[in-house]
Amino acid sequence: MTELDPARRSAVATALRSQRIETPSWAYGNSGTRFKVFAQEGVPRTPYEKIDDAAMVHALTGVAPSVAIHIPWDKADNYSELAQYAVDKGIRIGAINPNVFQEDDYRLGSVCNPNPGIRRKATDHLLECVEIGVATGSTLLSLWFADGTNYAGQDDISARQERLHEALAQAYARMPDGMRMLLEYKFFEPHFYTMDVPDWGTSFAHCVRLGEKAQVLVDTGHHAPGTNIEFLVAILLGQGKLGGFHFNSRNYADDDLMVGAADPFQLFRIMNEIVGTDSLRPEAGVAFMLDQCHNLEPKIPAMIRSVLNVQESTAKALLVDREALTHAQGSGDVLGAHAVLMDAFSTDVRPLLADVRQEMGVDPDPIAAYHRSGYQKRIEAERAGGSAMGWGA
Amino acid sequence: MTELDPARRSAVATALRSQRIETPSWAYGNSGTRFKVFAQEGVPRTPYEKIDDAAMVHALTGVAPSVAIHIPWDKADNYSELAQYAVDKGIRIGAINPNVFQEDDYRLGSVCNPNPGIRRKATDHLLECVEIGVATGSTLLSLWFADGTNYAGQDDISARQERLHEALAQAYARMPDGMRMLLEYKFFEPHFYTMDVPDWGTSFAHCVRLGEKAQVLVDTGHHAPGTNIEFLVAILLGQGKLGGFHFNSRNYADDDLMVGAADPFQLFRIMNEIVGTDSLRPEAGVAFMLDQCHNLEPKIPAMIRSVLNVQESTAKALLVDREALTHAQGSGDVLGAHAVLMDAFSTDVRPLLADVRQEMGVDPDPIAAYHRSGYQKRIEAERAGGSAMGWGA
Amino acid sequence: MTELDPARRSAVATALRSQRIETPSWAYGNSGTRFKVFAQEGVPRTPYEKIDDAAMVHALTGVAPSVAIHIPWDKADNYSELAQYAVDKGIRIGAINPNVFQEDDYRLGSVCNPNPGIRRKATDHLLECVEIGVATGSTLLSLWFADGTNYAGQDDISARQERLHEALAQAYARMPDGMRMLLEYKFFEPHFYTMDVPDWGTSFAHCVRLGEKAQVLVDTGHHAPGTNIEFLVAILLGQGKLGGFHFNSRNYADDDLMVGAADPFQLFRIMNEIVGTDSLRPEAGVAFMLDQCHNLEPKIPAMIRSVLNVQESTAKALLVDREALTHAQGSGDVLGAHAVLMDAFSTDVRPLLADVRQEMGVDPDPIAAYHRSGYQKRIEAERAGGSAMGWGA
Amino acid sequence: MTELDPARRSAVATALRSQRIETPSWAYGNSGTRFKVFAQEGVPRTPYEKIDDAAMVHALTGVAPSVAIHIPWDKADNYSELAQYAVDKGIRIGAINPNVFQEDDYRLGSVCNPNPGIRRKATDHLLECVEIGVATGSTLLSLWFADGTNYAGQDDISARQERLHEALAQAYARMPDGMRMLLEYKFFEPHFYTMDVPDWGTSFAHCVRLGEKAQVLVDTGHHAPGTNIEFLVAILLGQGKLGGFHFNSRNYADDDLMVGAADPFQLFRIMNEIVGTDSLRPEAGVAFMLDQCHNLEPKIPAMIRSVLNVQESTAKALLVDREALTHAQGSGDVLGAHAVLMDAFSTDVRPLLADVRQEMGVDPDPIAAYHRSGYQKRIEAERAGGSAMGWGA
């Protein structure tokens, strides 16, 4: 079993305290499947209330100091004010996520649409989001396109790629220094014959063409069945093209379940590639973001739980005895090398994390602390009127 | 190449003229993904208008004489009147589809819900649908349950099965003679850890337990990747448990694309099992139903196209030289047996079908006929006011 | 975190001490992929030497007291002697596995072959294996058929099912009281269009038709991508049709990796269904068997590791607080119920298992004990001459 | 239905006559699965006899004028002589395929092995194959690596990538002008945790790093379930990085069935991307190669059938009315654009191809011609002695 000497324990604890996990504003609102959105009580009615919830998650965990926003779901009259509101609450605005899929115009695509007028409109929204990034102090433009086709022959695959490049190039040119473009891919949904960016290879090819400020965004739920995600994470790290993650769990599709719920070993293996290349440090430039839908479960506890799951996987990855691992790998000891990894995974890191939390001044059990806090009852009472926010608004 | 002698040609044509394909009322309304429902013009505002559209599809194709309804989407004050309206339009009401997934009560399931009160409510709706079946003269109760769980441990898998059985048994007991229960299965969505009826085996086990009036419903889009659908069709036929189909196309999930659009060879192989066991005849008791969503494409032409696709696959299956096939199979001639099948598949059956349509008194090109008919313009004008129907209403 | 009171700890330890995991004789021989079989040193040259290795695994772990055999790979002149040899070594012969796929006759199938003479030959081998079961005192006839087709049309799906039933019925009729037939299914390989028993539903339907002595065998590597194995385990338990397991790990196909290596959480969820229905007890009649190929790693340590992995998952399943789980499930507490399960999974059970082993009189670290034992060096020296056994011999 | 005016018909026929499809020497030898290799009569015993068979396929089809070779399976004392033998038979040597997976040294990999000595040996074999390419007049070095790992932690993913690059760079540097390196990828098998080149993205990244003489090789059986192959073909064409194809069919894994047998519509869609970008012409530099295993079916007729299947798909792709397609796509006519494609696919092109063959001076029905030729009987008699070639020799 993994025993930690004081120096190692201190290094692990330091790494855990400095970890940064971004939560998404949209996960605090209502969500569902095409069959039904089950409304919950206490759901935010404004972007400001979403920030309140994100701030609460940070207050309890200590490692979730930013919140991603989605435009126009989080449209504000004054984005500087929105950003200041976040700061006042103890967090900040993270990635800016343009939305170019919820208007009737986008039926056949946004930046890949055969109609140049619609492409113009969609591209303008990307440019607007660059400006919102500037106004909010965000350094990340996080792009996911719902574009694709449902039928063979419906549109020209290659032509759509060129249209995509043109739009990306305009947004890229508009970005100020210090801003990065993260290009997400998705295997399928909402289109079922082609998605215009279906895999990491397509995203990678676009990012290479655009330049060094463009990087690939890995959503852990957006792959073909059986895809080895830690492998492509390693490849992208090696190419300097891993921009960040959208963490969540999937069993089948873009299930958007809580990260670590479906396959905690996979999450550990991903974090192991991160830790093994010293990419956990915030300055390494990999953004760790959650992107989930809490359709059945209460949203804030689910988000806290998700943050804890990432922490636990990270702690296990930090416990891997890299010297022993390297030695076993180098000597061709298949079972021995595997055992080094499994030894860390089998360790119960919850006591360690409870200690780290106390060192950080947060409750050792953030979920219990949430239930004790009265926050849920308060928002259910305070947010009784008005219109709960969801994906559509 | 397949050459038909007059006797064989006549038998094939007779089979094609007597084919019956049911269209679903809900496919005439608006539909979409969780990301967006793109509204179309001319979409029905009432169940009566859906019947109008279904009747139009039948008028043009001659082989779509019934329409499945979904309760409460097609709720009517008087179901006898609704049925009579269909008859007046030249068609009839087909399968009755209860809906127990679009109320907040059903967040944790309907007939499998841990709460007995909610199970009672859901079961009562099944019983109501049996009555609607009686009132409309339908002989098919078509059951799909959105029930399932999203997280390991969320509920007890076995207990949910028993709850399911109890509800099914009550509906089964209420069914009059001549009515059949078709139990559909689905691999995933809207739940992502378990579905309570995820595969044909689970449906089959329930149907065996219920009795001979319960049969399995195969939705061609509801399988794990790589599943050989014609194989399980053959198994179910052999067990006397194939109740019918929900036809559509899938590449990834429950994509609900037009049948025959994603893999026409698969559709042919399925129809080949049907024809090879003489199960195409209406009296064989296999219901051929479409279940699709036309998210991007115009709904009525898409439905016509789908009917034609099923017809074309059927025609090819009817062209298979079964004597030659049996001989090649029996003698272990792998390539020869395969070639017999492919010979039929490679044949262009459109001229044959055009002839058959003329013999039936319908236009040889139903899609062109639809475009010439002025129907689309008329409904776009007439249905301008009111609220278009969709999944939610 | 899970804390155990003494009574509970005692019950858990008792359950763990009485667990029985069967190892397969073929996993001690050489194996590989179609691309290459990498030979290892010290591999058995006779069935007797395989028994030696299986006995060593049992001596070190205390929970692997039987070994499955494969006929004709383990063909013996006198099966009573073979059985006695096992007993002398401290173990016994477990399941008898007929092999009807490694002769040229079986190119188009064994019991499903279109040629009746070949079906007779294959069926006779099944009958022979029943006799071997009697001679060795085995109570399990474990059937897997490589039968299938590669091309659409190659053979008649339904006819092959009937041929299969006829052969199974003959073997079933020959089985003495107390013997069970376990019918395994497999999604694909070695055939790629149809397998004659591709899924649990097909196996289940055959077992229902045969009678109560026929049950389904679940090989954890034989499913379509994304299949929820614990779900079908629960279904089969509910139907009294779960005969046993072939444990191994898969990421893609029938990878045959060490159980617990690819997805330890899945193995835990499966064991959780077993424990939750009190089916761990040997008298519950579920056979826990390994079926793996150690292509790259040394075979005996890999087998020990696999046994330990099953033990660890079992221990975690035994730690689940079932009262808390049932309460959370019944009250619709999605996150709470999930947390009860995850709490057990997150626990490090290795200290508990080390204690249990000491109570059983075996080394707390069986892998270290193996390396200290000198067994590997001894067999590498002793088995230097002769022909190492593998799949083909 | 597609009617061809004389000018268009002439262009289509010209394209079909100039199509070039390469057959693989190894498909004429015995092959199988890990479970069994079923030997066939008349199988070649030498590389020369494989060339004889490949020449027979070309003589009958007129469009298969080259044969790929695999080293050391096709090891010859004098490669110039081997090449001259092919020319004398009417064909030529095509791609050179190094084999670095069938020696015990390669258990943990070849060019990615942690042992530098084994990497050196493997790299030297690549260099040897460059020389063989020079000696045989081949312009294609076709690389597939069986390298990978079976267990998490077994080796360092990133380090293996660097080792791979080093080996590729040496082979690349050795290639003369006019030679291209095609780097194949494969989702899984023979390794089951990681493959070192598992997807097109990884191959693409390596090829970009190497330079313009390195291109991606697409094996149609090497993808994750559900992968849209025509999409990535379009992407690679757009990047100038599509080097060629290994054609075959798959339903589940690397099934290596006859191309066009599992999903003829997919093959058509792939060829449609080729034709739509004018990449069918030999000078476009896309190599169309078969890579199949005929485990059950007779090898030469299966190869002829495969060539015909590619031809039929190509003919259908040539029939697509591109003007109508472009117009429908540009105007957002989803059903119309799809219909243009399906119209071509539904056409029976066998009469057209029979005519084209007669114009080329070959039999309109090459399979019937083969059966009439007496070739099979002759090789079964002549090749009765000696040792049939297979994957291992």
Side-chain angles (χ1 to χ4, degrees), chain C residues 370-389:
Chain C
Y370 179 73
H371 290 311
R372 280 196 314 269
S373 72
Y375 187 83
Q376 186 68 33
K377 279 199 180 136
R378 186 154 60 80
I379 57 176
E380 290 184 10
E382 289 178 1
R383 300 175 184 171
S387 179
M389 298 197 81

Side-chain angles (χ1 to χ4, degrees), chain A residues 29-38 189 256 293-296 299 391, chain B residues 34-35 190 192:
Chain A
N30 283 322
S31 62
T33 67
R34 62 174 171 146
F35 292 98
K36 172 71 178 167
V37 173
F38 295 104
E189 193 206 27
D256 277 336
C293 292
H294 308 300
N295 298 344
L296 304 182
K299 295 166 198 308
W391 277 26
Chain B
R34 62 174 171 145
F35 292 98
F192 303 112

Side-chain angles (χ1 to χ4, degrees), chain C residues 98-179:
Chain C
N99 176 322
V100 283
F101 54 84
Q102 288 198 317
E103 297 186 46
D104 281 327
D105 272 353
Y106 296 139
R107 184 172 57 94
L108 301 180
S110 63
V111 295
C112 301
N113 198 299
N115 182 324
I118 294 171
R119 295 204 296 275
R120 183 69 260 155
K121 170 180 170 173
T123 307
D124 285 343
H125 181 59
L126 304 188
L127 301 179
E128 176 195 1
C129 285
V130 171
E131 302 309 327
I132 292 171
V134 171
T136 54
S138 170
T139 59
L140 294 179
L141 183 68
S142 178
L143 302 181
W144 173 66
F145 297 100
D147 290 49
T149 63
N150 273 356
Y151 293 102
Q154 177 184 325
D155 202 355
D156 186 286
I157 295 171
S158 305
R160 291 178 73 94
Q161 290 297 311
E162 284 310 303
R163 296 170 199 154
L164 173 59
H165 172 73
E166 284 173 31
L168 293 176
Q170 291 183 45
Y172 189 89
R174 183 71 65 92
M175 293 196 311
D177 285 349
M179 187 177 284

Side-chain angles (χ1 to χ4, degrees), chain C residues 32-40 101-108 144 146 148-152 154 186-195 225 250-258 261 293-298 391, chain D residues 32-40 101-108 144 146 148-152 154 186-195 225 250-258 261 293-298 391:
Chain C
T33 68
R34 63 176 172 142
F35 293 98
K36 171 70 177 169
V37 173
F38 295 104
Q40 295 189 12
F101 54 84
Q102 288 198 317
E103 297 186 46
D104 281 327
D105 272 353
Y106 296 139
R107 184 172 57 94
L108 301 180
W144 173 66
T149 63
N150 273 356
Y151 293 102
Q154 177 184 325
K186 187 175 179 184
F187 188 48
F188 73 91
E189 194 206 26
H191 290 95
F192 303 112
Y193 169 59
T194 57
M195 290 293 285
R250 80 184 282 280
N251 288 302
Y252 305 100
D254 188 32
D255 305 347
D256 277 337
L257 304 179
M258 297 187 301
C293 293
H294 308 299
N295 298 345
L296 305 181
E297 66 273 23
W391 276 24
Chain D
T33 68
R34 62 175 172 144
F35 292 98
K36 172 70 177 168
V37 174
F38 295 105
Q40 294 190 13
F101 54 84
Q102 288 197 319
E103 297 186 46
D104 281 328
D105 271 352
Y106 297 139
R107 183 172 59 93
L108 301 180
W144 173 67
T149 65
N150 273 356
Y151 292 103
Q154 177 184 327
K186 186 174 179 183
F187 188 49
F188 73 91
E189 193 206 28
H191 290 97
F192 303 113
Y193 169 59
T194 57
M195 291 292 285
R250 81 183 281 280
N251 287 302
Y252 304 100
D254 187 33
D255 305 347
D256 277 337
L257 304 179
M258 296 186 301
C293 292
H294 308 300
N295 298 345
L296 304 182
E297 66 273 23
W391 276 25

